[in-house]
Amino acid sequence: MSGKSVFKAAGIIMVIMVASRVIGFVRDVIIYSQFGQNRITDAYNAAFSIPDVLYMLLVGGALSSAFIPVFSKYISTKQEKEGWEVANIVLNLVMILMLIGIGVGYIYTRPLILLLVPGFNQEALELTVKLTRIMFWQAFFMAINGVTFGILNAYKIFIIPTLGTILYNLAIIVVGLIWSPKYGIAAFSVGVVIGAFLNFAIQIPDLRRIGYRYRFILKLNHPGLKNILGLMLPILIGLSIGQVNLFINQNLASALPAGIVAALHTGQRLMQVPIGIFAIAIAMTIFPTLTEQSANHKMAEFKQTANLGIRSVIFITLPAAAGLIALSVPTIRLLFEQGKFTHADTLVTSVALNFYSIGIFAQSALQVLNRIFYALQDTISPVVIGAFSIIINIAGSIILIRYLGHGGIALAYSSAGIFNLVLLLWWLKRKLGKIDGKRIILSFLQSLTASCLMGAAVYYTALAMDQILDMSIKLNQLVQVTLSILVGAAVYAVIAAILKNEETQMVLGVLKRKFKKGKK
């Protein structure tokens, strides 16, 4: 897959991601309008934590990152029969482990929730336990999806699997709206489970088309499985440390006023938008290419792909971060401030968003950088370095919460991400030799300068709109945010065009191809 093909696929995925994120925010708007930002929505957000931990430890991140390089090697070396056998072994093992994990989770839900959010009152605690037990089945379907998604990615099939995220969010909205009058916020949890099933089911036609046939086999001594488990172990250790970090942050936030857990969740979701749309799209599409180049010892091409991937995500996500900071209050007001979601909730959430946004570029670059190491079948380095950053995150959260409240938790997260990025780049240079780091630094400084200028233009445009329009009207809020974004995009585009760097040309090429395709 050539560089142009990679970024063309990334461009299509970005469009799908945008649609999915928009629907996801419609989902959140509906939930917060109906229930507000309080202990009910705190409970709903906290209920994702334990099922997500179960999924992340068994499948998410660890399995997919270890599975794709091993499975891709079987495919690229014409050993498809062995590859399918490994895929079935992994899928069966995942299902068995998930069922065991769900069973244990059901039994120990209450003590785990008490450990997670000790600051909740009894009513909120009971609701969190109830919602968590529903959410466990989301983890089961997401686990299966993690394996099948990896299979399709190895065949460079990205579009249809990515569409599953849209079905996921639509299911939550539809089921929640239909059943919430009778079952309250639990209806949205049921929607989460149905959405997770649909997210998996949409992949079945493509799986059959490429020749996959399910078989129940468990050869635990298979060399392919041993290879995957060996690669997984360091990632699992890192993810375990990461989940401890999540628990500590939830624990700290639960002792703060009602609604803070939800505010942090909303701020982080908004921060994840550019990461999910741009960084993950680019990282996901270059990962199989990096894996092939590494397997075939094409290290010059490997370094070039890796370098461009890192520069491209920074080039795209730095202005996104500047825009989110400049428009934090107007954006949250437009999206959420209605029904039981008040202006005070907007201000509290904007604090979290501002501090989270500082680290967007680092979290985005890490999406690519971690996969660079995984393509080299080095899963230890990102974990060891990540563990140091998580320690910084935890220590920073404990210290900064005293001075900045929930903003301290968000700032600690961003600071730890930047530390992780710098240290991982340094280690990659030691591992591969020259990686053209000066080019990355120059690109970062150019993008940062352009983003600051763009952010100032966005902020003052929004400020002018505040003085001209009545911001109690939703249409005016939409005009304010839309016009500010257009001004910011124009400013950044002009500066980027003047710079004429490779990242600019790559992004413009993707947009140009998408425009021509749309006209046809």
Side-chain angles (χ1 to χ4, degrees):
M1 200 174 191
S2 68
K4 289 185 177 180
S5 298
V6 165
F7 282 90
K8 184 177 181 180
I12 297 171
I13 292 171
M14 285 177 195
V15 173
I16 297 171
M17 292 288 194
V18 169
S20 177
R21 294 284 173 169
V22 168
I23 297 170
F25 281 116
V26 170
R27 175 198 71 193
D28 287 352
V29 168
I30 291 169
I31 292 172
Y32 286 115
S33 293
Q34 285 195 25
F35 302 101
Q37 188 164 273
N38 48 44
R39 282 300 187 217
I40 294 175
T41 45
D42 279 352
Y44 175 76
N45 289 313
F48 279 93
S49 301
I50 296 171
D52 281 355
V53 168
L54 182 61
Y55 164 69
M56 286 299 296
L57 292 184
L58 292 180
V59 182
L63 180 58
S64 58
S65 298
F67 175 75
I68 292 176
V70 175
F71 184 72
S72 294
K73 189 172 183 179
Y74 280 114
I75 302 305
S76 62
T77 55
K78 310 299 180 184
Q79 300 179 69
E80 284 192 286
K81 185 178 179 181
E82 283 292 305
W84 292 130
E85 187 169 68
V86 171
N88 275 313
I89 293 169
V90 169
L91 184 60
N92 291 323
L93 186 60
V94 163
M95 288 193 290
I96 291 169
L97 291 174
M98 286 301 296
L99 289 172
I100 293 171
I102 290 170
V104 174
Y106 259 83
I107 296 170
Y108 294 103
T109 305
R110 181 176 295 279
L112 287 171
I113 293 298
L114 277 170
L115 183 65
L116 179 67
V117 283
F120 279 13
N121 58 33
Q122 189 63 31
E123 185 179 0
L125 185 68
E126 292 295 335
L127 180 59
T128 308
V129 169
K130 175 184 174 181
L131 299 181
T132 298
R133 285 174 171 160
I134 296 172
M135 298 280 201
F136 272 126
W137 294 105
Q138 174 225 15
F140 178 79
F141 291 118
M142 293 298 277
I144 300 173
N145 175 74
V147 179
T148 55
F149 195 87
I151 293 171
L152 294 177
N153 276 196
Y155 277 89
K156 298 183 175 65
I157 297 172
F158 305 106
I159 309 303
I160 296 298
T162 309
L163 284 171
T165 59
I166 294 178
L167 289 179
Y168 172 76
N169 285 316
L170 284 175
I172 298 172
I173 292 170
V174 173
V175 174
L177 286 175
I178 292 173
W179 285 348
S180 62
K182 184 175 181 180
Y183 299 107
I185 203 165
F188 289 93
S189 295
V190 174
V192 166
V193 176
I194 295 173
F197 169 75
L198 294 175
N199 192 15
F200 155 70
I202 195 175
Q203 300 178 35
I204 293 174
D206 272 338
L207 288 167
R208 295 187 63 83
R209 181 171 59 82
I210 62 175
Y212 175 68
R213 296 295 181 270
Y214 173 74
R215 290 172 54 211
F216 185 80
I217 49 174
L218 270 179
K219 294 183 180 179
L220 300 182
N221 61 344
H222 193 288
L225 178 63
K226 289 181 178 179
N227 195 0
I228 291 169
L229 293 176
L231 292 172
M232 278 181 66
L233 183 60
I235 306 175
L236 280 173
I237 295 170
L239 288 171
S240 299
I241 299 170
Q243 295 308 317
V244 170
N245 174 51
L246 171 66
F247 281 162
I248 290 174
N249 285 348
Q250 292 259 30
N251 187 295
L252 292 169
S254 72
L256 296 173
I260 292 299
V261 172
L264 284 167
H265 177 80
T266 302
Q268 192 168 46
R269 270 184 53 76
L270 285 165
M271 176 270 286
Q272 289 286 342
V273 170
I275 299 173
I277 292 172
F278 304 120
I280 292 178
I282 292 173
M284 187 170 66
T285 49
I286 70 171
F287 188 31
T289 302
L290 288 168
T291 300
E292 283 184 6
Q293 290 170 344
S294 175
N296 294 316
H297 306 290
K298 298 178 178 179
M299 297 314 295
E301 294 178 16
F302 180 90
K303 291 179 184 180
Q304 186 178 9
T305 302
N307 191 289
L308 181 57
I310 294 168
R311 286 185 286 119
S312 295
V313 294
I314 293 175
F315 171 79
I316 296 174
T317 56
L318 262 178
L324 280 174
I325 292 171
L327 289 175
S328 59
V329 171
T331 300
I332 296 165
R333 178 173 58 193
L334 170 64
L335 292 175
F336 299 107
E337 197 174 303
Q338 57 192 340
K340 294 183 178 180
F341 194 102
T342 67
H343 187 65
D345 295 329
T346 294
L347 297 178
V348 169
T349 306
S350 70
V351 171
L353 176 58
N354 286 336
F355 284 118
Y356 275 132
S357 296
I358 293 170
I360 285 176
F361 81 93
Q363 296 297 334
S364 299
L366 285 171
Q367 297 295 327
V368 174
L369 203 49
N370 284 332
R371 285 170 173 82
I372 291 170
F373 279 92
Y374 298 156
L376 294 168
Q377 297 204 10
D378 177 3
T379 56
I380 296 176
S381 298
V383 169
V384 173
I385 293 171
F388 282 113
S389 70
I390 288 168
I391 293 169
I392 289 174
N393 192 355
I394 293 171
S397 295
I398 294 171
I399 295 169
L400 293 175
I401 195 173
R402 300 174 186 173
Y403 306 100
L404 299 171
H406 67 293
I409 295 175
L411 180 58
Y413 180 85
S414 294
S415 302
I418 295 169
F419 172 84
N420 194 354
L421 171 63
V422 172
L423 203 55
L424 210 52
L425 279 170
W426 171 76
W427 190 251
L428 184 65
K429 182 181 179 181
R430 285 180 59 92
K431 188 178 183 71
L432 294 181
K434 291 184 179 181
I435 58 171
D436 205 355
K438 290 181 180 178
R439 200 173 186 185
I440 295 174
I441 294 171
L442 177 61
S443 176
F444 171 79
L445 293 175
Q446 289 175 338
S447 298
L448 180 62
T449 302
S451 298
C452 290
L453 293 172
M454 184 217 75
V458 168
Y459 177 79
Y460 285 109
T461 300
L463 189 63
M465 292 294 100
D466 257 330
Q467 296 170 354
I468 296 170
L469 301 175
D470 178 3
M471 287 304 160
S472 64
I473 301 171
K474 271 294 175 197
L475 179 60
N476 290 345
Q477 295 174 15
L478 178 61
V479 169
Q480 180 193 38
V481 172
T482 303
L483 182 60
S484 300
I485 290 173
L486 290 174
V487 169
V491 170
Y492 195 73
V494 169
I495 298 172
I498 294 171
L499 293 174
K500 292 182 179 179
N501 55 24
E502 190 179 4
E503 305 92 279
T504 306
Q505 299 306 313
M506 181 64 73
V507 173
L508 289 176
V510 169
L511 294 175
K512 186 176 180 181
R513 286 191 293 273
K514 300 313 299 170
F515 177 72
K516 286 182 176 179
K517 188 174 180 180
K519 287 183 72 175
K520 290 178 182 178

